[in-house]
Amino acid sequence: MTELPEVILGRGDYAAGGARSQPFLDLDGARRRRPLVFGEVMGDPSQCDPLTAQMFSGRASDPCEWAVMWKEVGADGVCVRTRGMSPEDSADVVRRISDRTRLPVAVDCDADSLDAVASAVTDSVMILLGADSAPGSHVCAPETAGGRMALVRGRFPDPEPYASMRGMRSRGLEGDGSSSMPIVFDATPVWEDAFADARAASMVEAESALAAMLSGADVIIVRGPGAADMARVYGEELADL
């Protein structure tokens, strides 16, 4: 098996990818590295639903405070959703979150905001989601520092996204260059189901995140702090086996 390329994120202090085996298997000197866990933040707080807001002790009304809370609970990075915002507002909120947290940032923005966001943050390598609609076409900025990453969205327990990731990891390890890029898995679609409370949604999201880890995801995006904590802790336990 070959070694897959890795992407250096943030200010050079985080790395995604670089697999040398199937997830968590100690084969041929494989890196026993858990996936990075990113917490979701809405750039426009009015887009935050009440079920989500109750998990963040009122801090979801300010994107920067929301992002800082993710840092406090141990997330590796922040995923900022700015779709529907102007390019200027998108760039401003991403810049402020990046400066305030010093964490790697993934940005889910409209196509016309990509250049503004990339120009606003030049001292940190971001993951830009939504570069275009084609699977696997999502890129890091600046591209010379990062490269391409594949985005997969999953709605647990649908098996297709996990099978897709396992297949991509296997093909990449067998030398298929088109499948060698790090995988970003978005677990937040589980919240689209009707849950009675945030705890129930977080438990299902955690299951989705763990399934993604075992399927080869390198970065996992979650909405619930409980899901983030379980993903991080269990990822570390699996990496230490």
Side-chain angles (χ1 to χ4, degrees):
M1 288 189 176
T2 188
E3 177 179 346
L4 303 186
E6 66 179 16
V7 170
I8 304 303
L9 297 170
R11 290 161 172 83
D13 43 359
Y14 290 83
R20 298 172 182 168
S21 74
Q22 294 295 338
F24 305 111
L25 296 182
D26 191 12
L27 300 175
D28 299 322
R31 291 191 179 98
R32 292 189 289 181
R33 174 194 292 168
R34 70 166 175 83
L36 300 177
V37 180
F38 281 42
E40 181 187 65
V41 168
M42 304 305 295
D44 177 358
S46 68
Q47 296 181 11
C48 178
D49 65 85
L51 197 63
T52 301
Q54 67 182 246
M55 298 185 292
F56 293 93
S57 305
R59 294 168 75 177
S61 61
D62 181 328
C64 284
E65 285 299 318
W66 191 350
V68 168
M69 188 167 178
W70 274 118
K71 184 174 184 176
E72 292 172 352
V73 302
D76 302 297
V78 181
C79 176
V80 187
R81 313 276 194 191
T82 69
R83 290 184 180 272
M85 297 173 62
S86 70
E88 295 77 14
D89 288 343
S90 293
D92 177 65
V93 72
V94 172
R95 172 79 265 175
R96 288 189 289 114
I97 287 173
S98 178
D99 287 345
R100 181 83 180 275
T101 65
R102 310 296 289 180
L103 291 175
V105 176
V107 186
D108 182 11
C109 62
D110 295 325
D112 60 358
S113 295
L114 288 170
D115 288 342
V117 169
S119 298
V121 182
T122 58
D123 60 345
S124 182
V125 180
M126 297 181 293
I127 303 172
L128 297 182
L129 309 178
D132 56 49
S133 59
S137 62
H138 309 278
V139 300
C140 289
E143 190 168 358
T144 53
R148 305 181 79 80
M149 302 183 81
L151 176 66
V152 177
R153 288 189 170 94
R155 192 167 179 174
F156 193 81
D158 177 12
E160 193 280 330
Y162 310 102
S164 174
M165 287 187 289
R166 288 193 295 271
M168 179 178 289
R169 171 66 69 90
S170 294
R171 292 190 300 273
L173 290 169
E174 291 168 0
D176 181 353
S178 65
S179 299
S180 65
M181 64 191 74
I183 302 171
V184 179
F185 180 79
D186 186 355
T188 63
V190 301
W191 288 79
E192 296 169 8
D193 295 332
F195 287 97
D197 55 53
R199 184 177 184 276
S202 289
M203 291 296 291
V204 176
E205 187 176 43
E207 290 184 81
S208 184
L210 291 174
M213 285 184 176
L214 294 171
S215 300
D218 298 292
V219 177
I220 297 172
I221 299 169
V222 296
R223 181 172 298 177
D229 187 52
M230 283 186 276
R232 180 177 54 81
V233 170
Y234 282 111
E236 289 171 352
E237 291 289 335
L238 287 167
D240 287 340
L241 288 178

